[in-house]
Amino acid sequence: FYYFVVDEELSDNVLEHHKTPSKLFVILVTIKPGRDNRLYILNEIYRNKLNHFCNLGITNHIKHMSWVPNICDYPLKFMDSDTIELSHFKIQDIMLPSEVTNRNQRNIPVEFIDSSFNIVIETIYDNFFPTEKTIRPLFIKKPFMVFSSQHYHKKLNEKYGIKLFDNIIDYSFDEIENTRDRYDLQIQELVKIKNTYTPSDIFKLTKDTTQYNYEIVMEIRRNFSESISEEYASFLRNHIK
């Protein structure tokens, strides 16, 4: 998050690379114990062969599968959860080409810039809690869809004024309370996007909205920067380099 707040070099780097992308989707995700919902999403992405249209980066912190992954289908009923069958996705590290010699790089990977649509897998999926994962596509002018909680996209619009991409996305899934059902509908919406649009189409159809959202997030950035002391901002700049 602090990259977007205090690092002016990052802003210049991002804007310099803003161009028509060549790849459809991009996903950057870390899989780890306690984040089983990410495994479910990745398995469905692979089941529907969306991975073939993705710049995909996966950081794997699961060294030994010592438990059965499951997804809690909110709202919880009797604290039940359903087992996730990894029928199509194999737990693994997948490095983006730009990360091969520069793992955990400071700047946003070029593959992210060269993709037209960001599939965001947020940290929390039972509450509205945007993190840097949601801020990233706003900051680099990308349309996006977030796998998170019910009404997540609606709240982005109502709370922060973020415009949604109604011309390419049917947000009906945002109303669904049950986690797995909502995710399944989101996957089908991504399949529809894949079958309907090219990367160039998405770039052209969303350019005005992404620019509007960029200006919103930059205003948030300016307000936050002005609210912290120069001493703290200097500490953050030094910390992230």
Side-chain angles (χ1 to χ4, degrees):
F1 171 76
Y2 295 117
Y3 292 2
F4 307 112
V5 174
V6 300
D7 193 352
E8 295 178 0
E9 289 181 19
L10 179 59
S11 302
D12 295 339
N13 176 270
V14 167
L15 295 176
E16 182 181 327
H17 288 89
H18 186 59
K19 61 179 183 178
T20 304
S22 62
K23 200 78 170 181
L24 192 59
F25 300 121
V26 62
I27 305 173
L28 298 178
V29 63
T30 298
I31 53 177
K32 62 177 74 174
R35 297 287 188 265
D36 294 6
N37 62 308
R38 298 177 184 180
L39 296 176
Y40 180 79
I41 295 164
L42 287 169
N43 192 69
E44 294 308 302
I45 283 170
Y46 271 73
R47 184 196 302 276
N48 288 275
K49 297 182 172 57
L50 293 172
N51 54 301
H52 298 310
F53 300 86
C54 283
N55 279 320
L56 180 60
I58 299 176
T59 301
N60 174 30
H61 290 168
I62 301 174
K63 303 308 177 187
H64 302 285
M65 183 61 82
S66 57
W67 80 101
V68 177
N70 61 80
I71 185 167
C72 294
D73 285 332
Y74 289 90
L76 292 175
K77 296 179 180 178
F78 310 110
M79 296 303 291
D80 285 344
S81 60
D82 290 336
T83 298
I84 298 171
E85 180 185 359
L86 296 180
S87 55
H88 292 76
F89 172 68
K90 178 183 177 182
I91 292 175
Q92 59 186 305
D93 264 302
I94 299 179
M95 295 180 68
L96 295 170
S98 68
E99 292 186 307
V100 172
T101 58
N102 190 19
R103 188 67 158 162
N104 298 320
Q105 57 191 299
R106 172 170 161 258
N107 285 343
I108 294 173
V110 294
E111 292 85 0
F112 199 107
I113 307 297
D114 195 36
S115 303
S116 66
F117 189 101
N118 184 201
I119 300 172
V120 179
I121 304 177
E122 262 295 0
T123 303
I124 303 297
Y125 68 104
D126 59 334
N127 282 295
F128 179 70
F129 187 73
T131 70
E132 83 288 344
K133 300 174 185 65
T134 297
I135 294 173
R136 187 189 290 122
L138 294 167
F139 187 68
I140 64 169
K141 303 180 183 180
K142 299 292 179 183
F144 60 93
M145 178 190 292
V146 185
F147 285 84
S148 184
S149 58
Q150 182 190 26
H151 297 146
Y152 187 90
H153 299 82
K154 180 181 180 181
K155 290 176 181 177
L156 276 179
N157 173 257
E158 292 178 346
K159 187 169 184 178
Y160 298 109
I162 300 301
K163 280 189 178 180
L164 302 182
F165 302 93
D166 306 271
N167 58 336
I168 64 168
I169 301 174
D170 177 357
Y171 288 97
S172 300
F173 61 81
D174 213 39
E175 298 297 320
I176 297 177
E177 189 175 25
N178 179 272
T179 302
R180 189 186 294 251
D181 292 344
R182 186 172 62 256
Y183 284 1
D184 287 346
L185 195 56
Q186 286 185 257
I187 291 291
Q188 292 311 306
E189 192 64 19
L190 292 172
V191 170
K192 185 201 77 175
I193 290 171
K194 182 263 294 183
N195 290 337
T196 306
Y197 305 108
T198 66
S200 179
D201 290 337
I202 292 178
F203 177 80
K204 292 173 183 175
L205 288 168
T206 64
K207 188 163 59 171
D208 290 344
T209 303
T210 57
Q211 178 62 35
Y212 178 89
N213 289 339
Y214 171 78
E215 292 170 5
I216 291 286
V217 80
M218 289 302 290
E219 180 64 23
I220 294 172
R221 183 179 189 260
R222 283 190 292 272
N223 291 340
F224 187 89
S225 297
E226 291 170 1
S227 71
I228 62 176
S229 67
E230 177 54 35
E231 182 180 10
Y232 186 42
S234 177
F235 167 78
L236 292 174
R237 281 191 288 268
N238 292 330
H239 179 69
I240 65 179
K241 289 187 183 294

